[in-house]
Amino acid sequence: MKKTRFHAAMISLALMAGTSSAQSGLPTRGPDYFRDAAELARLLGSAHAIRVRCNGKDDQYWRRYMANMLAYEAPEPGPLRSSMVQEFNDAFSRVSEDYGSCDGAAVNAEAGFAVAGQRIATRLASHYFPRRASKREGSE
């Protein structure tokens, strides 16, 4: 049930953001963009949970990444920002329960979250900076 409501919310966000991004000159954000943004927020929350478990609550490494993502992707209060924060917090809670101690499995999981997050961040960046067609060697 929650999954269905989430996907419906993301679709409505895509429609709203499509209008505002067209007005601001940014590319239209579609369902793939919102799926990736939500997944990246989950991965950041997951990695943050392990980092805090291993290094203590003063280690805010992954939370800073989340704050930066929010500053760029959803700087104003609204549905997109709320859903990204909720995804981060839910993942943090779930992974905190899953990894009760900082052991090799936890460290490996954090590394896996980071790798997956990098892939998604690259896709999100390509939303704003699409690849240009490669120039043929010797042509201008």
Side-chain angles (χ1 to χ4, degrees):
M1 180 86 112
K2 181 179 177 186
K3 193 80 161 171
T4 304
R5 279 184 284 174
F6 173 75
H7 287 294
M10 294 309 276
I11 289 169
S12 68
L13 286 172
L15 295 174
M16 289 186 296
T19 302
S20 64
S21 64
Q23 293 169 350
S24 68
L26 294 174
T28 302
R29 295 175 176 177
D32 291 343
Y33 169 87
F34 290 102
R35 181 204 61 232
D36 283 347
E39 180 62 18
L40 183 54
R42 279 190 294 275
L43 290 165
L44 289 169
S46 299
H48 182 59
I50 293 173
R51 190 81 168 210
V52 167
R53 173 76 63 211
C54 291
N55 299 336
K57 66 182 180 180
D58 291 336
D59 189 327
Q60 297 295 300
Y61 182 81
W62 293 114
R63 185 182 295 273
R64 279 192 301 275
Y65 272 91
M66 180 64 182
N68 288 336
M69 184 171 85
L70 289 171
Y72 288 109
E73 301 300 327
E76 301 296 324
L80 175 59
R81 185 179 182 91
S82 295
S83 68
M84 289 169 64
V85 168
Q86 187 67 46
E87 293 294 333
F88 179 93
N89 291 337
D90 288 350
F92 178 87
S93 296
R94 187 181 60 257
V95 171
S96 292
E97 291 174 9
D98 291 346
Y99 293 91
S101 63
C102 180
D103 56 13
V107 171
N108 288 337
E110 181 187 2
F113 296 139
V115 168
Q118 179 62 48
R119 279 192 294 260
I120 293 170
T122 300
R123 276 199 310 265
L124 286 172
S126 71
H127 175 75
Y128 294 108
F129 306 105
R131 291 184 183 151
R132 294 183 180 173
S134 299
K135 292 183 181 181
R136 291 184 194 164
E137 206 171 296
S139 69
E140 294 194 36

